[in-house]
C-alpha cells in the first residue's frame, strides 16, 4: 500500500545492476544494502514499515527491454531514486527508465524535478544529463586529495561509517518529508475579503 494517495508505489529505485554486485565474501551488493537501510529509516519517519511502498527490481537483466511491468511501475510511482554512477550512464536500460519516469512526470499536474532524488554513488568524469546535473543529490563518494582515487562510502559494507550514515539520513529525511508533502491535501487558497467599512442603518 502506498503512502501517497493515487499511487501504487511511493519510491522507484533505478540503478545499474553491476553496481549491486556483491564484493567477494559479501552476500549483499552496495545498492541493496543502501535500500534496506533507507527502508528502515523511512519506516521510522513515516510510522510503520508497511506505511509505504518501495519498488526495486532484482530480477530483470540490463540487456532486457523495458517491460510493461517496469514502465507501469514507473507510471504509478510518486518519486524516483536514481543511483547515479558511470555504469548508470553507460546503461541504455537505466536511461530508458529515467526517460520513462520523466515522461510520466511531465504529464502530472504540479509535478517538478523534486520528485527525483539522485544518489551519486561514484564520481562522474563526464557531463551529467541535464535532468540530474541541476539536482544537488547525495554524494556517497569522497576524494581525500587531488589526484587520489575516489572512495565509495560503504564499500564493501558501511560498518558504522559516519559519512555514509549522515548522507543516508539526509536522503531518508528529505524523501520522507517530500512524501508527506505529496500526501497532504492541497489547501484551498484563502478567499480575498473586501473591507467595506461599518454598515450604517438609517
Amino acid at each position: 500500500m502506498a503512502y501517497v494517495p493515487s499511487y501504487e508505489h511511493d519510491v522507484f529505485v533505478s540503478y545499474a545492476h553491476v553496481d549491486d554486485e556483491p564484493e567477494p565474501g559479501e552476500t549483499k551488493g552496495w545498492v541493496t544494502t543502501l535500500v534496506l537501510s533507507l527502508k528502515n529509516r523511512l519506516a521510522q519517519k513515516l510510522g510503520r514499515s508497511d506505511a509505504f511502498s518501495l519498488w526495486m527490481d532484482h530480477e530483470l537483466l540490463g540487456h532486457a527491454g523495458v517491460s510493461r511491468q517496469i514502465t507501469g511501475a514507473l507510471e504509478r510511482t510518486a518519486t524516483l531514486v536514481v543511483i547515479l554512477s558511470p555504469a548508470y550512464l553507460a546503461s541504455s536500460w537505466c536511461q530508458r527508465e529515467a526517460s520513462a519516469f520523466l515522461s510520466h512526470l511531465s504529464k502530472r499536474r504540479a509535478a517538478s524535478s523534486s520528485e527525483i532524488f539522485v544518489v551519486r554513488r561514484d564520481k562522474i568524469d563526464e557531463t551529467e544529463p541535464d535532468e540530474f546535473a541541476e539536482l544537488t543529490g547525495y554524494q556517497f563518494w569522497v576524494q581525500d586529495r587531488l589526484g587520489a582515487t575516489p572512495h565509495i562510502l560503504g564499500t564493501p559494507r558501511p560498518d558504522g561509517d559516519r559519512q555514509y550514515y549522515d548522507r543516508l539520513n539526509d536522503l531518508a529525511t528529505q524523501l520522507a518529508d517530500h512524501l508527506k508533502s505529496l500526501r497532504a491535501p492541497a489547501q484551498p487558497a484563502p478567499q480575498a475579503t473586501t473591507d467595506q467599512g461599518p454598515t450604517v442603518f438609517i
Side-chain angles (χ1 to χ4, degrees):
M1 178 177 178
Y3 182 79
V4 180
S6 76
Y7 289 100
E8 186 174 334
H9 307 290
D10 299 296
V11 182
F12 183 107
V13 179
S14 180
Y15 68 102
H17 283 253
V18 69
D19 287 336
D20 199 35
E21 290 293 330
E23 295 286 342
E26 300 296 324
T27 58
K28 294 183 179 66
W30 191 93
V31 179
T32 296
T33 299
L34 177 78
V35 170
L36 288 172
S37 296
L38 177 61
K39 289 174 71 174
N40 287 341
R41 279 158 180 74
L42 283 176
Q44 293 162 2
K45 295 177 184 301
L46 299 178
R48 291 169 47 183
S49 59
D50 61 351
F52 65 96
S53 172
L54 184 147
W55 202 97
M56 177 181 175
D57 170 48
H58 288 281
E59 303 300 328
L60 297 177
L61 299 176
H63 64 267
V66 177
S67 69
R68 291 183 181 179
Q69 182 184 7
I70 295 288
T71 55
L74 283 163
E75 185 175 358
R76 300 186 301 272
T77 300
T79 61
L80 179 71
V81 172
V82 171
I83 310 298
L84 191 62
S85 69
Y88 189 94
L89 295 181
S91 168
S92 58
W93 165 274
C94 294
Q95 299 297 315
R96 284 180 286 173
E97 283 186 350
S99 295
F101 184 81
L102 288 166
S103 175
H104 295 307
L105 193 62
S106 67
K107 300 171 187 175
R108 300 178 188 176
R109 198 173 103 185
S112 70
S113 59
S114 60
E115 271 73 19
I116 302 175
F117 292 76
V118 178
V119 170
R120 290 184 167 85
R121 179 181 184 269
D122 201 352
K123 184 178 181 181
I124 304 292
D125 291 326
E126 58 191 283
T127 303
E128 291 185 13
D130 292 341
E131 59 267 27
F132 302 142
E134 296 182 0
L135 301 176
T136 303
Y138 308 85
Q139 184 172 309
F140 276 80
W141 62 271
V142 293
Q143 189 169 15
D144 297 329
R145 63 188 186 281
L146 187 64
T149 301
H151 171 67
I152 299 172
L153 300 175
T155 303
R157 67 179 77 90
D159 285 341
D161 185 334
R162 177 64 182 270
Q163 293 184 82
Y164 177 93
Y165 286 108
D166 282 347
R167 287 159 173 77
L168 173 64
N169 287 330
D170 287 344
L171 171 62
T173 299
Q174 293 171 26
L175 183 53
D177 287 347
H178 187 65
L179 292 176
K180 289 176 184 177
S181 72
L182 293 176
R183 179 185 173 97
Q187 299 298 319
Q191 297 295 320
T193 56
T194 304
D195 186 4
Q196 297 178 345
T199 302
V200 177
F201 296 93
I202 300 177

